[in-house]
Amino acid sequence: MEIERTNRMNALFDFYGSLLTEKQQKYMLLYFADDYSLGEIAEDFDVSRQAIYDNIRRTEQILTDYEKKLHLVENFNQTEGTLNEFSHYLKTHYPNDKTVENYIQQLKKESIE
């Protein structure tokens, strides 16, 4: 459960992190990406553990709300899945068609950028 939450927050942060305040970004990166504890973050920023906890919870809700409205992560995942299915189909049915495979790889690269 905790790993799923961390992965989800990291994905949401990748898409929407630039919309957060600098402090929110720092706390989220330390907590979810760098695996700092609430106490360690609180000590680094000279605030209470409760303040960090509250800020992270509020920021999680903000990121979740962005995703509910914009669906960027969901759309990205669907596109990736479709490209993977198409790539598999191509390799199975047209193993020598490198041109289309190159187009698929280009689309995958562009979707990440």
Side-chain angles (χ1 to χ4, degrees):
M1 179 73 165
E2 191 64 29
I3 292 173
E4 288 177 16
R5 175 177 165 237
T6 297
N7 289 340
R8 177 158 173 74
M9 284 301 116
N10 284 328
L12 292 174
F13 186 84
D14 285 345
F15 281 87
Y16 306 113
S18 62
L19 301 174
L20 301 173
T21 66
E22 188 175 323
K23 183 173 28 170
Q24 288 170 325
Q25 290 177 21
K26 287 179 183 177
Y27 290 171
M28 294 299 280
L29 283 172
L30 289 171
Y31 189 72
F32 287 105
D34 297 337
D35 202 28
Y36 276 50
S37 70
L38 296 173
E40 290 170 321
I41 299 170
E43 188 176 308
D44 286 352
F45 287 88
D46 197 30
V47 296
S48 71
R49 183 185 176 285
Q50 186 64 43
I52 299 298
Y53 176 83
D54 291 343
N55 189 294
I56 288 173
R57 290 291 176 242
R58 277 193 309 273
T59 305
E60 283 184 83
Q61 189 59 52
I62 289 168
L63 292 173
T64 300
D65 289 346
Y66 286 149
E67 178 61 13
K68 284 179 183 176
K69 293 174 184 172
L70 301 171
H71 309 285
L72 296 180
V73 175
E74 178 184 348
N75 291 342
F76 175 81
N77 289 335
Q78 287 176 348
T79 300
E80 281 291 300
T82 301
L83 287 172
N84 288 334
E85 288 175 24
F86 185 51
S87 181
H88 177 71
Y89 178 84
L90 181 68
K91 287 176 184 175
T92 303
H93 293 85
Y94 304 97
N96 298 322
D97 192 338
K98 298 300 178 195
T99 302
V100 177
E101 182 61 33
N102 288 337
Y103 284 128
I104 292 171
Q105 294 307 317
Q106 185 177 350
L107 285 170
K108 285 182 178 183
K109 182 181 175 190
E110 290 174 3
S111 72
I112 293 173
E113 296 173 348

